[in-house]
Amino acid sequence: MTSEITLFVNPTAGRGRGARAAQPAASALRSAGFSVRTVLGEDAADGLARAREAVTGGTGALVAVGGDGMANLALQAVAGTRTPFGLVAAGTGNDFARALGLPVGDPAASGRLIAEALKSDRLTDVDLGRVNGTWFGTVLASGFDSRVNDRGNRMRLPVGRFKYDVAMLAELAAFRPFSYRITLDGGGTREIEATLVAVGNGSSYGGGMRICPGADLGDGLFDITVVGDCTRTTLLKIFPRVYRGTHVDHPVVSVYRAARVELLADGITGYADGEPLGPLPLTAECIPAAVRVALP
């Protein structure tokens, strides 16, 4: 393995934390004897093209610095290859880092961990989800949660995560269940009324909301959490339990496991790792051992 490492940086992640995190992470890697090349990109498409060039050029590892969006972008370059992937969690949500058991908000520690993992070949293959050629690490959201994302993305004010709290209140005011058709592993199709359907490769989204608490990055299966037809009052009772993962014990919530999930519903956009995938219908596949990750 070459000693040159590519640092793939989102300078705007976490309101500037991405840019600030790059330096201590790079210093830790250099102290361990690695040569560090930084890739920024003029925009997401340009950054991804540069990251892909680094991977095809034989970089020793691709290390994303930022949040879940940046991790998702890096996965598009490194998934399906044998190039190691490292993550310096410096964003707002950092759910993929949590699922992997990586440090959050400590770029120097992250840099040291990645360096040690690369030197000792302490690399682990983990599963990823894939929809129409797009990879994701955490959760594919559809339904009430994705409608909140839609509304929040359209809002200019307020800024930061508070925007999505406001968006959630607005969506609650217009709350209604959705008619889904769900097919698991090519079997029979379920036609249900549901508040949301979350397809989890990882366990959480939204900065620690454990929507799929039993999801395992190494079992080759998704956990699919279905919040069924319920009232606004019931949804408000269930919602706080998502942070502990105990919502799955509520009678209105069902959990399934499958390697392939087909979702169809009108008027819903699918989001994965917080990034829009496009309108349903969508088919997600769990791809075992899709990426090699530097882990503790």
Side-chain angles (χ1 to χ4, degrees):
M1 182 185 73
T2 176
S3 63
E4 182 185 85
I5 303 300
T6 301
L7 214 58
F8 189 30
V9 182
N10 179 1
T12 64
R15 299 187 189 180
R17 286 196 296 271
R20 293 191 295 271
Q23 185 173 352
S27 295
L29 287 163
R30 289 190 179 105
S31 295
F34 290 97
S35 171
V36 178
R37 172 175 173 256
T38 301
V39 167
L40 293 173
E42 296 179 4
D43 53 29
D46 182 55
L48 177 55
R50 293 170 186 259
R52 282 176 168 155
E53 286 176 6
V55 171
T56 57
T59 186
L62 184 68
V63 178
V65 183
D68 288 321
M70 193 61 179
N72 178 273
L73 192 62
L75 289 176
Q76 310 314 311
V78 76
T81 76
R82 299 306 291 166
T83 301
F85 171 70
L87 179 56
V88 177
T92 302
N94 302 311
D95 288 288
F96 195 38
R98 288 189 178 91
L100 293 168
L102 298 174
V104 172
D106 191 342
S110 296
R112 290 192 297 270
L113 183 155
I114 293 165
E116 292 167 5
L118 292 173
K119 283 192 162 186
S120 62
D121 200 29
R122 195 172 66 241
L123 303 167
T124 302
D125 292 337
V126 303
D127 305 341
L128 294 176
R130 187 172 63 189
V131 177
N132 295 332
T134 297
W135 301 91
F136 68 93
T138 57
V139 177
L140 189 169
S142 75
F144 177 77
D145 44 7
S146 64
R147 291 291 289 266
V148 170
N149 251 324
D150 282 340
R151 185 180 290 268
N153 290 343
R154 293 194 301 267
M155 294 168 58
R156 295 181 62 187
L157 293 173
V159 297
R161 291 185 65 189
F162 184 62
K163 174 171 63 176
Y164 293 94
D165 294 335
V166 174
M168 182 179 297
L169 292 174
E171 282 300 318
L172 276 171
F175 173 75
R176 63 176 177 82
F178 306 95
S179 298
Y180 278 89
R181 296 183 66 190
I182 303 173
T183 307
L184 304 179
D185 288 335
T189 297
R190 296 173 170 86
E191 297 189 10
I192 61 172
E193 296 293 307
T195 301
L196 65 86
V197 178
V199 180
N201 182 55
S203 59
S204 70
Y205 60 7
M209 298 170 63
R210 301 183 66 229
I211 188 70
C212 300
D216 184 336
L217 292 173
D219 65 357
L221 297 171
F222 293 125
D223 272 32
I224 302 104
T225 298
V226 178
V227 179
D229 187 359
C230 65
T231 65
R232 186 181 295 112
T233 300
T234 299
L235 181 60
L236 287 170
K237 288 180 180 177
I238 294 172
F239 179 75
R241 296 170 59 173
V242 174
Y243 288 94
R244 301 187 302 275
T246 57
H247 62 291
V248 295
D249 298 326
H250 194 282
V252 80
V253 179
S254 301
V255 177
Y256 306 93
R257 288 186 171 88
R260 178 184 170 93
V261 185
E262 300 171 48
L263 298 176
L264 187 152
D266 292 331
I268 296 178
T269 300
Y271 282 78
D273 295 341
E275 302 297 314
L277 288 172
L280 272 57
L282 293 172
T283 299
E285 297 177 282
C286 185
I287 308 300
V291 63
R292 302 180 74 202
V293 182
L295 295 180

